Amino acid sequence: MIFNTYKKYILNLFSKTLVEVILVFFSLIIIINLFEEINFLRDHDVSGYYPLFLSFLNAPSIFFDILPFIFLISTLLFFIKLINKNELSIFKYTGITNNQILRIIVFFSFVLGIFFIFGFYTFSSKLKSQYLLKKNQFTSDDKYLAVITENGLWIRDEINGTINITNADKINDNLLINVSIVQFDKNFNLLQVIESKEVNIESKKWNINNPSVTKQNTTNNPSNINFNSNFDIEIINNLFSNLSSMSLMQLNKLEKDYNRLGYSTVGIKVYENKIFSVPVYLSIMTLLSGIIMFNSKFRKSKIFNVILGIFLSVIIYYVNYFSGLLGETGKIPIILSVWLPLIILMLISLIGLVRLNEK
């Protein structure tokens, strides 16, 4: 009976603390993002509520990204509450060990992590998609478009009054493979069709090798054509880089489309691994934070512990960033670059568990 009661009490207190921290961070995200949206929309004729609306659409995605640090700080504050009420000593006298307390909140964090993946992330990705659609209304005039389908890469581009519809089977480094470019005037009268096995798109002045140009039923085969476009390889890469607006099913479909196109799927795999690592990440952050509090000599200083939490968050962020750089430069496998910081944090936590019950 005592065992079940203390479990409920710990989970209730941890949940309340977590909700309090979530509300604070979510409010800060809304406020900070609101200033950004106001600045973005300052030259557009929109209602005063529109920046706030955009901020609410974008906030869940940002919130999902900082979840590990929210759990770290929540755990610090949870233990501060226990310490201030001298409840850790009471637990110890009733035979409840430090490991048991940690086990409860770590498991609870893992379960919440699963919910955040399959519940909250789906919700946040849909809002992020709507956010990008609505914000793009103020940044584009529908002259430019690039999509990936089962039939390869399609680009709609308007330049100098000419509308170009480009289709390519694959992307290989800076090259489009098996390319067809259909050109229309502004009234959509056909001007010409350009076909080539290979087009270099390293810059916005495309280099078309050995093209076949069909115009008014006449076909020419020049050795080379320089073709002006609003797209290059960097712009095309950036168009498909915002993966946070896609659900897990959409990410899976996009990965299949990329494979058909010959487009690199590394970015998608890394992002998927980051999503699936969330339960483990939250559990480790909760465990690490708890170990720090049990070993801290400054148990009565709330300011110290909050500053400590922020300091740890910054360090962990840069460890993640450095690991990502190692993956991008090929120093370590790209997937390992996602899990390596978690492995390091887990090892540190396991060391901290030694003799924890004696604290």
Side-chain angles (χ1 to χ4, degrees):
M1 184 70 179
I2 295 177
F3 184 75
N4 291 331
T5 302
Y6 96 83
K7 269 187 177 181
K8 291 178 181 177
Y9 178 77
I10 288 174
L11 288 176
N12 185 50
L13 182 61
F14 185 73
S15 299
K16 286 183 178 179
T17 307
L18 186 60
V19 169
E20 291 169 1
V21 176
I22 285 174
L23 290 175
V24 171
F25 270 86
F26 198 82
S27 299
L28 288 174
I29 291 170
I30 292 290
I31 293 170
I32 294 172
N33 204 43
L34 178 60
F35 286 114
E36 181 181 338
E37 301 304 338
I38 290 174
N39 183 59
F40 176 80
L41 295 169
R42 67 182 185 276
D43 297 325
H44 299 279
D45 184 20
V46 295
S47 68
Y49 295 103
Y50 203 76
L52 183 61
F53 172 64
L54 288 179
S55 185
F56 269 104
L57 288 179
N58 193 36
S61 178
I62 300 174
F63 170 80
F64 185 82
D65 290 336
I66 64 172
L67 267 176
F69 309 115
I70 290 175
F71 271 71
L72 185 148
I73 293 175
S74 297
T75 306
L76 290 175
L77 295 178
F78 163 75
F79 278 102
I80 287 174
K81 290 180 179 180
L82 290 180
I83 292 167
N84 285 344
K85 296 179 181 179
N86 204 31
E87 289 175 330
L88 284 179
S89 299
I90 296 174
F91 285 144
K92 194 170 185 178
Y93 292 145
T94 55
I96 300 167
T97 65
N98 296 339
N99 278 330
Q100 286 176 313
I101 297 172
L102 271 181
R103 196 180 303 129
I104 293 169
I105 60 175
V106 168
F107 179 74
F108 183 63
S109 297
F110 184 85
V111 172
L112 284 179
I114 295 174
F115 162 75
F116 279 116
I117 288 178
F118 296 103
F120 184 82
Y121 175 75
T122 301
F123 168 74
S124 70
S125 65
K126 288 182 178 179
L127 291 185
K128 184 74 171 186
S129 178
Q130 290 299 313
Y131 169 79
L132 293 174
L133 285 173
K134 293 186 180 300
K135 196 164 183 177
N136 285 343
Q137 294 175 4
F138 302 97
T139 57
S140 67
D141 53 9
D142 295 328
K143 290 182 179 180
Y144 321 121
L145 176 67
V147 295
I148 292 176
T149 71
E150 295 181 356
N151 296 318
L153 174 68
W154 290 87
I155 298 174
R156 182 186 187 275
D157 185 12
E158 184 176 330
I159 190 165
N160 298 327
T162 301
I163 300 170
N164 304 312
I165 307 295
T166 302
N167 174 236
D169 287 346
K170 290 180 177 293
I171 296 179
N172 186 5
D173 295 327
N174 296 326
L175 300 175
L176 295 181
I177 308 300
N178 295 330
V179 182
S180 173
I181 304 174
V182 183
Q183 292 189 300
F184 301 91
D185 63 20
K186 61 181 180 179
N187 296 317
F188 280 92
N189 296 311
L190 180 63
L191 298 178
Q192 63 180 7
V193 178
I194 304 173
E195 295 178 321
S196 176
K197 294 291 185 182
E198 186 179 276
V199 176
N200 189 311
I201 59 169
E202 187 173 359
S203 68
K204 291 182 181 180
K205 181 171 283 189
W206 294 3
N207 189 290
I208 305 178
N209 298 314
N210 300 317
S212 172
V213 182
T214 302
K215 184 175 182 181
Q216 296 179 348
N217 298 322
T218 302
T219 301
N220 296 314
N221 299 99
S223 61
N224 186 276
I225 292 178
N226 288 323
F227 183 85
N228 292 323
S229 174
N230 288 299
F231 290 85
D232 57 22
I233 187 63
E234 182 179 356
I235 292 174
I236 291 174
N237 286 337
N238 290 336
L239 286 172
F240 306 113
S241 63
N242 203 320
L243 302 176
S244 61
S245 63
M246 298 182 179
S247 66
L248 291 172
M249 291 182 63
Q250 289 172 324
L251 286 171
N252 182 261
K253 181 180 182 302
L254 184 65
E255 185 175 357
K256 292 178 180 177
D257 290 339
Y258 274 24
N259 282 323
R260 278 192 291 265
L261 185 62
Y263 203 65
S264 173
T265 60
V266 169
I268 299 176
K269 289 178 180 177
V270 169
Y271 190 72
E272 287 176 332
N273 273 266
K274 285 183 178 179
I275 293 175
F276 290 122
S277 70
V278 166
V280 177
Y281 205 168
L282 299 185
S283 302
I284 291 175
M285 295 298 266
T286 301
L287 177 62
L288 181 63
S289 183
I291 291 171
I292 289 171
M293 289 303 297
F294 279 124
N295 288 276
S296 175
K297 295 180 180 179
F298 302 94
R299 296 182 176 183
K300 299 295 183 181
S301 175
K302 294 181 181 180
I303 296 177
F304 172 82
N305 285 291
V306 172
I307 293 175
L308 178 63
I310 296 173
F311 179 69
L312 282 173
S313 299
V314 172
I315 290 178
I316 292 169
Y317 171 81
Y318 279 106
V319 169
N320 277 317
Y321 179 75
F322 180 69
S323 179
L325 287 180
L326 291 177
E328 290 176 7
T329 56
K331 301 295 182 182
I332 60 175
I334 193 71
I335 304 303
L336 181 61
S337 69
V338 176
W339 292 93
L340 181 60
L342 298 183
I343 294 172
I344 294 172
L345 289 173
M346 176 60 79
L347 292 175
I348 294 172
S349 300
L350 291 176
I351 294 172
L353 281 174
V354 177
R355 301 177 69 180
L356 183 67
N357 289 330
E358 300 177 10
K359 301 295 180 180

